[in-house]
Amino acid sequence: NPTRSRREEIILPLEPAKSPASSLLELPEPGPIDESELVAGISATSKPIELPETTPDKAVEGHHVLVTEAAPAASTAKPTTKGEPKEETDAVTTTTAKPLGIFDNIPEEPTVEVCDETSAPGRSKIYCSGRLLASVNLHHLFPDSKTFVDRPIKVNRTEDEIMADFETRFPPKNEDIDPEQLRAFVEQHFDQEGHELEKCDVPDWIPTPAAFGGITDSKMQAFALNLHNIWKELCRNIKPMVRDEPERFSLLHVPNNFIAPGGRFREFYYWDTYWIVKGLLASGMYETTRGMLENFGSIVERFGFIPNGGRVYYLQRSQPPLLTAMVYEYYEATRNKTFLFDMLPKLEKEFEFWSLNRNVTIDVDGVNHTIYQYRSEANVPRPESFREDSTMAATFPSKGRQQVFYRDIGSAAESGWDFSTRWFSNPDSKILLNIRTTEIAPVDLNAFLCYNLNIMSFFHSEFGNVNKERMWQDKYTSFKTTFRDVFYKPEAKGWYDYNLRTRQHNTDFFPSIAIPLFAGCFDQLSMRQSGDLLDRMIEMGALNLTGGIPTSLANHTQEQWDFPNGWSPLNHMVIEGMRKSNNPRLQQAAFSLAQRWVRANLHVFNLDHAMWEKYNVATNEARGGGGGEYEVQAGFGWSNGVVLDLLLTYGDRLTSEDSSPSNPASDGATASSMPSMPVAPGASTTASASSTSPLHLLLVLAFTIVNLW
Ligand SMILES: OC[C@H]1O[C@H](O[C@H]2O[C@H](CO)[C@@H](O)[C@H](O)[C@H]2O)[C@H](O)[C@@H](O)[C@@H]1O
């Protein structure tokens, strides 16, 4: 069984005096890590990677090439034919490989659009590329670049007619266009964003899910009910016109209702859905969950993979591969074998997408290892962030250098971490212009794929298909070795992203360090590995903040996937990874972190009457997060899902306020620094009940009666 269910969790003997978790906050402020203490791992001992002299290239037909995606050694790089296999003689070692600079000149490559007439027939000249898209953004018609590409074409108009009208009415140079006339043109031809979607009925929503009865703290229980209510607000149905006249829409049609993240994110998002599913399962909404997974099944059949989100402009990139894990969670909750049987070929197909299109083979200690990268092919601006991307790219001296930038930007969006210092590979200049996502082999992607292998084996075992079970298990076992050999750095006590150019691990803190625990891609019998990881996180100061785990310790980058933001999915994966480990110290730390995260979310919910997509975890009192290229969004699918899941996992122990003598499970570590919690808006009238009160018992009884009824 690939993961540890709640039932199987090792229950810790409580150590109220000085448990490892309670000591977390007593640590001094994190000091700088002395990198000299970290002996070079793989890179010091292994054969140097062979780098091409030229521009980044892609995996060739055979899909496995010896070292792709490396940066050019110098600005004098010669062009390489796309798809041409690299020869060892055509290579330089990393000692001469410099990071690609902003001013480096790179030869131009053929254009790869984010979508085109093949993938988005009848609308690509509007939603994927073209003069209208460029002009709307040049003249900053909308504060958010995403608005225009989400607006449906009005009924009885075609793309060709609109573009012909545009060419007739406006001068040939975009700069000469009158913005107000352009605005009138857009209003004349396009409906409002969101016009093609409607709120939906959620048939499997009931007012008081039975499982909430296990949440002992009444304020936490009220919080759960509030979040449960929000599912109805976030549920979306796609109007039939999208199926019938797809050329009018950037939205991809899916047959069933879905829960959207919220705010500007009106369509489905791939990896968000994992945590939405976790929350829906907590809410007992199995039908809605199944519908969403079936949507993904239909998308895989149509496109061969799951795009970043449900719009044509997302068709050249995916997001972290978590569909198999979603199906696993659903199956664990329902044991619906018919559904699983139907999904299996789609899961295999999705896995194939990653293994054939995102692979890279590297040589470590004379052994070739095939690992995976976030690596979009598109080398043009993202339409939903057209203005941001093209403005930035204008800094570069050549079209070729711009293309490299666009590919790295799209690849970072594929990671879900758009954007973060994690992808800025020039140590001297950690700014977005120096993004080099495609130079990096990311620890989380490889851990997720490792998880997929294990789950696939388990699924086949459920059908008694011994051959397939063994085949996937063998792949899992062998990939675990690869994963350890490439990503684990014992001297630095953890798993780290690996830079293909420098052959170095990035030992800065990112929560991705703990994703191997979440994904079960490590030696579960080794208490040492997991214990070391916790020590390392403590040493780095990653667990010092009352609001939760920050996304990095890189301050002042203004990127949303950096300090001081904490994201629900990352906090959840760290908590779950620690909880599912065999190590009692980590399990206690998991609870402590869950307590902080849920309390901080509740605090902000009471202040703002909103759940946010990200949080500022560094202030004394948590707040909605900031930074990045758009305003912080409310809703919010994955934040709600994470809290609901944690409330169910730790329902018997989580408390909304400081520990009381009657609650020895509280970690105590955060209690003094956590604000007291006001009553949730719309919360149940029992909000003041203590976790051990008779009122709670009455509530549990009431839940049971209501649900039985
Ligand atoms: O429009 C800019 C970017 O917005 C999305 O990214 C962010 O929101 C997503 C939905 O919650 C989330 O999945 C992602 O992790 C966030 O960074 C979108 O996914 C990007 O592709 C897009 O360029």
Side-chain angles (χ1 to χ4, degrees):
N1 193 330
T3 189
R4 181 183 298 282
S5 72
R6 293 191 176 95
R7 292 180 301 282
E8 290 170 301
E9 182 188 350
I10 293 173
I11 303 297
L12 251 195
L14 293 169
E15 297 171 20
K18 183 144 175 107
S19 67
S22 65
S23 66
L24 296 184
L25 281 192
E26 292 162 23
L27 287 164
E29 280 296 299
I33 299 157
D34 182 357
E35 291 292 337
S36 62
E37 286 172 12
L38 310 175
V39 184
I42 294 170
S43 48
T45 52
S46 55
K47 191 173 150 221
I49 278 187
E50 313 293 355
L51 284 182
E53 255 188 297
T54 53
T55 48
D57 208 343
K58 297 171 192 70
V60 285
E61 277 177 304
H63 309 125
H64 290 183
V65 286
L66 254 185
V67 186
T68 58
E69 298 307 319
S75 54
T76 52
K78 282 186 283 172
T80 313
T81 312
K82 212 170 163 189
E84 194 178 274
K86 302 290 175 298
E87 295 195 5
E88 301 214 354
T89 50
D90 175 34
V92 290
T93 61
T94 50
T95 42
T96 57
K98 294 196 189 80
L100 185 55
I102 294 168
F103 299 111
D104 285 339
N105 214 334
I106 303 286
E108 190 176 332
E109 295 248 326
T111 300
V112 182
E113 301 288 358
V114 292
C115 50
D116 55 23
E117 268 313 281
T118 312
S119 56
R123 59 231 201 256
S124 67
K125 290 180 215 118
I126 287 173
Y127 297 121
C128 310
S129 57
R131 273 197 71 201
L132 175 56
L133 175 62
S135 304
V136 163
N137 282 285
L138 176 73
H139 293 290
H140 204 160
L141 242 47
F142 303 102
D144 184 341
S145 304
K146 187 171 183 289
T147 306
F148 173 67
V149 282
D150 285 6
R151 291 186 67 163
I153 297 171
K154 280 192 171 161
V155 74
N156 292 332
R157 286 170 181 74
T158 67
E159 166 195 55
D160 285 342
E161 285 163 6
I162 292 175
M163 291 314 294
D165 191 20
F166 176 84
E167 296 298 343
T168 321
R169 277 163 62 173
F170 295 107
K173 279 190 173 167
N174 292 349
E175 301 87 299
D176 298 338
I177 291 176
D178 178 288
E180 284 322 304
Q181 284 180 19
L182 183 61
R183 190 181 300 282
F185 177 88
V186 169
E187 296 309 323
Q188 182 191 338
H189 289 299
F190 293 88
D191 284 322
Q192 291 302 307
E193 66 276 14
H195 174 76
E196 73 280 53
L197 291 151
E198 58 197 1
K199 268 177 77 175
C200 38
D201 292 331
V202 198
D204 54 350
W205 188 93
I206 56 164
T208 50
F212 291 7
I215 304 170
T216 51
D217 181 292
S218 58
K219 287 181 188 168
M220 289 296 190
Q221 198 176 65
F223 190 24
L225 285 171
N226 276 316
L227 301 186
H228 178 64
N229 267 313
I230 298 176
W231 293 136
K232 290 186 290 184
E233 303 304 314
L234 296 176
C235 184
R236 290 291 175 276
N237 169 45
I238 299 183
K239 292 181 186 166
M241 58 189 180
V242 178
R243 182 196 54 218
D244 301 339
E245 308 158 73
E247 301 80 16
R248 288 179 43 220
F249 305 93
S250 63
L251 191 71
L252 298 173
H253 181 262
V254 284
N256 304 315
N257 293 344
F258 62 92
I259 305 291
R264 73 198 281 274
F265 302 115
R266 307 169 189 94
E267 48 287 318
F268 74 70
Y269 280 81
Y270 181 11
W271 79 319
D272 296 53
T273 306
Y274 175 82
W275 290 276
I276 292 171
V277 159
K278 292 291 284 181
L280 291 176
L281 293 175
S283 284
M285 294 166 63
Y286 304 123
E287 239 179 276
T288 303
T289 306
R290 195 182 65 237
M292 291 175 70
L293 299 180
E294 282 168 358
N295 285 345
F296 280 166
S298 76
I299 287 282
V300 172
E301 280 189 326
R302 229 169 117 192
F303 300 105
F305 77 112
I306 302 185
N308 179 146
R311 297 268 174 189
V312 292
Y313 52 73
Y314 286 136
L315 280 172
Q316 268 291 354
R317 61 176 187 262
S318 188
Q319 265 194 337
L322 286 165
L323 176 61
T324 300
M326 293 178 213
V327 172
Y328 172 78
E329 296 296 340
Y330 172 79
Y331 180 71
E332 277 288 278
T334 62
R335 298 275 146 188
N336 183 342
K337 274 202 170 176
T338 318
F339 168 81
L340 181 59
F341 189 77
D342 185 52
M343 284 301 286
L344 264 181
K346 293 153 197 165
L347 301 182
E348 293 194 6
K349 193 166 179 179
E350 204 232 350
F351 190 87
E352 204 178 78
F353 163 80
W354 289 92
S355 60
L356 296 184
N357 297 289
R358 298 296 188 261
N359 61 330
V360 58
T361 299
I362 61 167
D363 174 335
V364 177
D365 286 338
V367 179
N368 281 349
H369 290 291
T370 297
I371 52 174
Y372 304 92
Q373 292 185 278
Y374 292 115
R375 208 171 62 210
S376 167
E377 305 276 310
N379 55 13
V380 295
R382 294 165 299 155
E384 80 283 10
S385 303
F386 191 97
R387 192 167 44 85
E388 289 79 358
D389 288 0
S390 45
T391 309
M392 277 243 159
T395 317
F396 297 112
S398 64
K399 182 156 182 212
R401 182 65 187 87
Q402 292 180 346
Q403 289 176 323
V404 170
F405 172 75
Y406 291 139
R407 279 194 67 201
D408 284 316
I409 283 281
S411 302
E414 181 165 89
S415 80
W417 294 45
D418 42 338
F419 298 103
S420 167
T421 45
R422 227 185 128 187
W423 313 123
F424 303 169
S425 72
N426 184 341
D428 301 327
S429 178
K430 296 223 165 191
I431 54 167
L432 188 56
L433 284 171
N434 273 321
I435 191 166
R436 288 313 327 270
T437 319
T438 55
E439 265 185 2
I440 294 163
V443 73
D444 47 1
L445 171 61
N446 286 275
F448 292 139
L449 290 171
C450 184
Y451 194 23
N452 282 352
L453 293 171
N454 196 13
I455 298 174
M456 287 304 283
S457 169
F458 167 70
F459 283 164
H460 285 294
S461 77
E462 286 294 276
F463 295 102
N465 191 337
V466 179
N467 288 341
K468 283 209 156 186
E469 176 193 354
R470 198 167 299 147
M471 184 193 86
W472 286 97
Q473 196 59 34
D474 289 348
K475 287 184 190 205
Y476 169 62
T477 310
S478 127
F479 191 70
K480 267 209 306 190
T481 307
T482 285
F483 185 78
R484 184 201 58 209
D485 290 352
V486 176
F487 297 101
Y488 193 65
K489 198 165 157 65
E491 314 79 31
K493 301 177 180 172
W495 296 266
Y496 298 93
D497 291 344
Y498 185 67
N499 188 302
L500 302 177
R501 178 180 53 78
T502 63
R503 302 174 52 76
Q504 299 288 320
H505 292 96
N506 179 353
T507 51
D508 291 347
F509 171 74
F510 301 102
S512 45
I513 194 174
I515 293 181
L517 300 188
F518 169 79
C521 199
F522 73 114
D523 183 359
Q524 263 127 334
L525 292 177
S526 166
M527 290 285 205
R528 168 90 186 273
Q529 263 186 356
S530 52
D532 276 359
L533 180 77
L534 180 59
D535 291 342
R536 173 72 172 159
M537 288 175 74
I538 293 169
E539 277 161 32
M540 290 195 280
L543 307 182
N544 283 356
L545 304 172
T546 48
I549 301 172
T551 313
S552 75
L553 300 175
N555 211 342
H556 307 305
T557 68
Q558 295 304 315
E559 299 304 338
Q560 61 171 350
W561 289 84
D562 270 325
F563 191 91
N565 284 340
W567 289 79
S568 317
L570 302 183
N571 274 266
H572 183 259
M573 284 190 283
V574 174
I575 293 167
E576 277 293 277
M578 290 183 172
R579 185 184 69 81
K580 290 191 290 184
S581 77
N582 286 335
N583 191 326
R585 275 186 69 216
L586 271 79
Q587 292 184 346
Q588 182 127 336
F591 170 70
S592 162
L593 290 167
Q595 177 90 288
R596 285 184 222 179
W597 185 256
V598 176
R599 282 185 181 183
N601 276 223
L602 173 60
H603 175 68
V604 178
F605 183 72
N606 288 336
L607 284 178
D608 299 346
H609 307 308
M611 291 294 286
W612 300 107
E613 61 168 346
K614 58 194 175 236
Y615 290 87
N616 179 335
V617 295
T619 46
N620 269 348
E621 295 195 8
R623 285 280 181 280
E629 54 190 24
Y630 57 85
E631 290 298 313
V632 63
Q633 300 296 299
F636 196 87
W638 61 19
S639 300
N640 306 354
V642 164
V643 170
L644 283 173
D645 184 60
L646 294 176
L647 281 174
L648 250 62
T649 302
Y650 294 112
D652 56 341
R653 285 190 271 168
L654 281 180
T655 56
S656 54
E657 284 167 6
D658 291 0
S659 59
S660 66
S662 60
N663 184 11
S666 166
D667 71 336
T670 59
S672 59
S673 45
M674 288 306 294
S676 61
M677 306 295 171
V679 181
S684 97
T685 50
T686 57
S688 62
S690 88
S691 61
T692 50
S693 71
L695 198 49
H696 166 251
L697 296 176
L698 267 177
L699 255 178
V700 175
L701 193 66
F703 267 99
T704 316
I705 292 167
V706 167
N707 284 295
L708 280 177
W709 178 76

